[in-house]
Amino acid sequence: MSLRSPLSRRALVLAATVALTTSGAVAQAAENPYERGPAPSTSSIEATRGPFATSQTTVSSLSVRGFGGGTIHYPTSTAEGTFGAVAVSPGYTATQSSLSWLGPRLASQGFVIFIIDTNSRYDQPSSRGDQLLAALDYLTTSSTVRSRIDASRLGVMGHSMGGGGALEATKDRPSLQASIPLTAWNTTKTWSTVRTPTLVVGAENDSVASVRSHSEPFYTGLPSTLDKAYLELGGASHFAPNSPNTTIAKYSIAWLKRFIDDDTRYEQFLCPAPRDAAISEYRDTCPHSS
């Protein structure tokens, strides 16, 4: 049997080194395959627009079942891959227009955002929860943007009764990755079966769904072992989510990135508890385990 020449041996060593380096890079990439966009900074998540250009499409209530249609905001480029998706419900008597500012702001950070209309302006939280889930099902199976979405990375948000609906949706579908009830209203206070990381946003001067009777009990009613946080907007009213709000956007982006995209680059904005003049109280189960 002939011996390999020194040149051949060097070639084999080089090939092995390249293979190991490449496999190491692949393994490193695989640790966080859902990362989208550049490394974040305080200014980048406080900005009115993120790094992704966005478009929108309107969904007629006549073309869907289970909810009242709405507007989908989405990144125009999929060069970095597919995106997580979030369905968002307005509050009692409100329409999608009450939360329209959230759509492009969150989508430009690398999400597909569906601001929905409900079947009736008077739908209660349980119904709104069902409608949020119907909207997610539509997004991932029938919508014109379904090919842009990773159906395993989904979340819900909502204001007032829509926030109560977000809690209902997480109870009914444990596979959801993130939930953000905004100044939420719901007669149920205990959510011991919820398994979805949840950011409860309350408003210090809320006279409709006071933090004492709603947001605070929601937070404490979630499992102690859950990745959860309570953020209270200082001096704010129940209707704070209905107009552009940097604090809501900033921490919603961080929460969605951290738990829908599993992007630990955003952990810095959540743990340790933020010191922000716009926040009157913040609680969290740091460090986050997932």
Side-chain angles (χ1 to χ4, degrees), residues 224-240:
S224 60
T225 55
L226 186 69
D227 287 320
K228 62 178 182 174
Y230 171 73
L231 186 159
E232 186 176 291
L233 301 166
S237 79
H238 181 70
F239 302 100

Side-chain angles (χ1 to χ4, degrees), residues 20-33:
L20 286 171
T21 302
T22 302
S23 64
V26 170
Q28 185 175 5
E31 289 176 5
N32 204 351

Side-chain angles (χ1 to χ4, degrees), residues 77-209:
S77 172
T78 55
E80 293 190 39
T82 54
F83 299 97
V86 183
V88 187
S89 170
Y92 191 64
T93 76
T95 66
Q96 59 167 309
S97 64
S98 67
L99 296 171
S100 60
W101 70 275
L102 265 177
R105 191 157 181 170
L106 298 183
S108 68
Q109 295 286 346
F111 296 100
V112 175
I113 305 295
F114 195 3
I115 313 289
I116 70 168
D117 275 321
T118 50
N119 292 326
S120 161
R121 293 187 179 191
Y122 310 103
D123 290 326
Q124 298 297 300
S126 179
S127 173
R128 289 171 191 262
D130 292 341
Q131 292 177 62
L132 283 168
L133 296 179
L136 288 176
D137 292 341
Y138 170 81
L139 268 182
T140 56
T141 62
S142 305
S143 74
T144 58
V145 299
R146 61 188 179 278
S147 64
R148 299 172 180 269
I149 298 170
D150 179 348
S152 69
R153 298 189 289 128
L154 305 175
V156 288
M157 296 178 67
H159 173 230
S160 192
M161 282 199 180
L167 288 164
E168 298 280 355
T170 56
K171 178 192 70 176
D172 294 341
R173 188 171 294 180
S175 62
L176 293 176
Q177 300 296 301
S179 178
I180 306 177
L182 302 168
T183 62
W185 189 99
N186 199 310
T187 56
T188 300
K189 311 303 178 187
T190 301
W191 302 92
S192 58
T193 61
V194 167
R195 297 293 177 265
T196 298
T198 300
L199 169 62
V200 177
V201 177
E204 184 179 22
N205 295 337
D206 191 334
S207 60
V208 177

